[in-house]
Amino acid sequence: MLEEVWAGLAVAFGSGMLIGIDRERDKDQGGHQEPAGIRSFTLAALAGAMAQTQGDALVVAIGALSVLMLAAIAYWRSYTQDPGLITELSLFATYLIGVLAVRSPALGAGCAAAVAALLASRERLHRLSTELLSDREVRDIVMLAALALVVVPLVPDRAMPWLGHMNLRSLAVLVVLILALQGAGHVATRWLGQHPGLAAAGFFSGFVSSTATVATMGTKARTQPDHPWPYAAAGVMSTAATWVQALVMTAAIAPGAVPLLAPVCAAGAVAALAGGLLLMRHAGHGKLEAVPVESQALRLREALVVAGLLSLVALLVSWAQEHFGASGLYAGIALAALADAHAPVASTAALFGAGSIGAATLVLCVLLALSCNAGSRTVVAAVAGGPRYAAAVGASLLASTLWAWAVAAVMGTLS
């Protein structure tokens, strides 16, 4: 018991020092004096730790109230020079970290590191919020946070037999993931420049629909029939996202299947990424259309359409498996994958999570879905982008699919 108390006191001392160093360095900046520095923060953390060692909640509360009163007095004396509350709030947080360090040294140390990192990143965060992110992107971030923190926890966390054994909360999490990836792709396109940004946009758009991305990039490639490689690179990058998406969806719906699919999906994704990078290198530095700053980052309608498609296909595939056995399952997977690979992969993972199919069937169905979808994407590439664009995209799809099948065969997951 005594060793735990000493460990907590040591963590509190180090936490106060760590946070106080940042405040000490900030003291003389901006032509004003901060009300607290390294000694004040260290003492606040130790005070919290010593209060907690007394084992009396009233002592801890009195200590917290005292720190709050001191912070309020310091703010009142310095607000004309510095109207911000960052130092005062940090001082109170440091006291609470001292209290936490005695109860859980590891958690206290982690919180201290997080606070110190937040304080040290003030300039980067200021630049991110005022220069790098547009007003529309900030609104999209708020909407995404509301969906993730408010809506998702309210969705029932149980499998629905009428929905092909899909878990409603897992479906909601997938919608949030799709929106997050949309936003990441949008920001990457603006920040990375034209060619890398276009490839990043292709990759992240593939999490929504690789088929639609291949078609969109093919349409743009027709405007440069002699040099379609930048758009082919983006289309190929979207095929890499399909492999990653398969693993992400499986992890959200049936976590137990991840060890089975991880090597197979990793092999397909790496092969597709290699093809995309080769095409990017071959693309050169031609002029491409820039992404507008105020363009839409999150497309909720598309994410909801994907979720609806997942639910419908999960229901149909489950029905086919129950009424026609393995042959019905494989036929349903293949037909559904001609339009999009995400839905049959999700439905297969739901069946595996419900115990309706085994491991070998799961891997076979996922590979069948991605292979059939690769064929349909090759046709789409030929129609939308012409022969040179289709050759580049089709070769990458073939290589990644064959490589994934080979890894599955070598690992013996198909039997």
Side-chain angles (χ1 to χ4, degrees), residues 183-252:
H186 171 85
V187 173
T189 305
R190 287 211 300 111
W191 289 2
L192 296 179
Q194 290 185 320
H195 286 274
L198 183 65
F203 177 76
F204 286 106
S205 297
F207 286 96
V208 180
S209 175
S210 178
T211 303
T213 304
V214 168
T216 301
M217 295 300 171
T219 302
K220 294 181 178 180
R222 281 193 178 275
T223 62
Q224 300 182 25
D226 296 330
H227 194 67
W229 314 123
Y231 302 106
V236 169
M237 285 294 189
S238 76
T239 69
T242 300
W243 293 99
V244 178
Q245 177 81 327
L247 189 60
V248 170
M249 297 178 78
T250 302

Side-chain angles (χ1 to χ4, degrees), residues 255-303:
V258 171
L260 301 170
L261 287 177
V264 176
C265 292
V270 169
L273 284 173
L277 291 174
L278 288 174
L279 286 169
M280 281 180 60
R281 186 174 181 180
H282 186 57
H285 303 283
K287 185 70 174 177
L288 299 174
E289 183 181 356
V291 178
V293 173
E294 288 294 336
S295 59
Q296 187 175 6
L298 302 186
R299 300 179 295 279
L300 181 59
R301 180 181 299 177
E302 292 182 11

Side-chain angles (χ1 to χ4, degrees), residues 14-15 255 387:
S15 299

Side-chain angles (χ1 to χ4, degrees), residues 59-116:
V59 174
V60 176
I62 292 174
L65 182 61
S66 301
V67 173
L68 277 175
M69 291 178 62
L70 290 172
I73 293 171
Y75 176 74
W76 177 74
R77 295 185 61 182
S78 62
Y79 78 96
T80 55
Q81 295 177 315
D82 180 17
L85 281 169
I86 187 66
T87 298
E88 290 77 14
L89 290 175
S90 300
L91 188 65
F92 182 63
T94 302
Y95 172 83
L96 297 179
I97 288 173
V99 174
L100 182 61
V102 174
R103 303 180 61 181
S104 176
L107 185 57
C111 290
V115 171

